Amino acid sequence: MRIHDLNELDREAFAAALHFAFELSPWVVERAWTARPFPSVEAMHGAMMDVLNAASEDDKLALIRAHPELAGKAAIAKALTAESTAEQAGAGLDRLTPEEFARFHDLNAAYGKAFGFPFIICVRLNDKSSILRAMQARLSNDRATEIAEAIKQIGLISKLRIQDAVTD
């Protein structure tokens, strides 16, 4: 899809075309529609991040909570979005040893208990070892730091997803 074509769409069609960018949260894309026309993919994603950064904490938490746990129940049940499935597989999370799976399970549980939402990281920029290290390290952060980090990681995830699908 081309940026020019996206600029021509009405709000509903624009949100439908880019619904995949922010995990089960098309509101981010829909709210950014008012900033069009976008001169570039970068500018379009920037407008979406402006929407996200200006969102209420409740909206941010809803977006964060829309993301699945890494190597979690949804992955096992094959209930992830196509984008999350491909991203987790690309990082090797679909090929964990029993020990690695147990480590992910334990860290997911500890992280969820500490913060009340799933651990978010751009898996396309990591592998299973670096993800496990980050999960362990970030457990020592406070909640506000983790909300900010989750939003930063969602920005990276959505940028890569959009770059894959949209051309200038």
Side-chain angles (χ1 to χ4, degrees), residues 3-59:
I3 192 77
H4 171 76
D5 298 328
L6 289 169
N7 282 329
E8 299 297 318
L9 298 176
D10 65 24
R11 182 187 303 263
E12 186 176 307
F14 182 79
L18 297 170
H19 72 280
F20 60 86
F22 293 85
E23 194 82 13
L24 303 174
S25 302
W27 62 266
V28 179
V29 174
E30 184 176 304
R31 291 179 194 173
W33 176 84
T34 60
R36 62 180 204 6
F38 303 108
S40 66
V41 173
E42 186 75 26
M44 181 179 67
H45 183 259
M48 292 174 188
M49 290 307 297
D50 289 346
V51 165
L52 184 50
N53 289 324
S56 69
E57 184 169 305
D58 285 345
D59 282 348

Side-chain angles (χ1 to χ4, degrees), residues 11-165:
R11 182 187 303 263
E12 186 176 307
F14 182 79
L18 297 170
H19 72 280
F20 60 86
F22 293 85
E23 194 82 13
L24 303 174
S25 302
W27 62 266
V28 179
V29 174
E30 184 176 304
R31 291 179 194 173
W33 176 84
T34 60
R36 62 180 204 6
F38 303 108
S40 66
V41 173
E42 186 75 26
M44 181 179 67
H45 183 259
M48 292 174 188
M49 290 307 297
D50 289 346
V51 165
L52 184 50
N53 289 324
S56 69
E57 184 169 305
D58 285 345
D59 282 348
K60 288 177 183 176
L61 287 171
L63 170 60
I64 293 167
R65 289 181 178 130
H67 284 74
E69 284 186 343
L70 298 178
K73 294 175 195 161
I76 294 166
K78 302 202 183 313
L80 300 176
T81 63
E83 294 79 18
S84 287
T85 298
E87 290 160 355
Q88 288 199 30
L93 301 186
D94 61 339
R95 299 176 304 280
L96 298 175
T97 66
E99 295 79 17
E100 291 168 333
F101 179 79
R103 185 77 177 128
F104 268 97
H105 179 76
D106 291 346
L107 286 169
N108 277 329
Y111 189 92
K113 183 177 181 187
F115 301 110
F117 50 81
F119 175 81
I120 309 291
I121 193 167
C122 183
V123 296
R124 286 175 60 181
L125 301 178
N126 289 277
D127 60 22
K128 59 187 172 183
S129 297
S130 65
I131 294 167
L132 284 168
R133 285 192 304 275
M135 288 176 89
Q136 183 65 54
R138 286 173 46 190
L139 276 170
S140 63
N141 288 341
D142 62 38
R143 191 167 192 268
T145 299
E146 275 308 294
I147 290 171
E149 184 61 28
I151 295 300
K152 176 183 165 190
Q153 293 297 318
I154 289 168
L156 294 170
I157 294 163
S158 61
K159 185 175 188 172
L160 291 171
R161 288 178 178 183
I162 289 169
Q163 286 174 340
D164 286 347

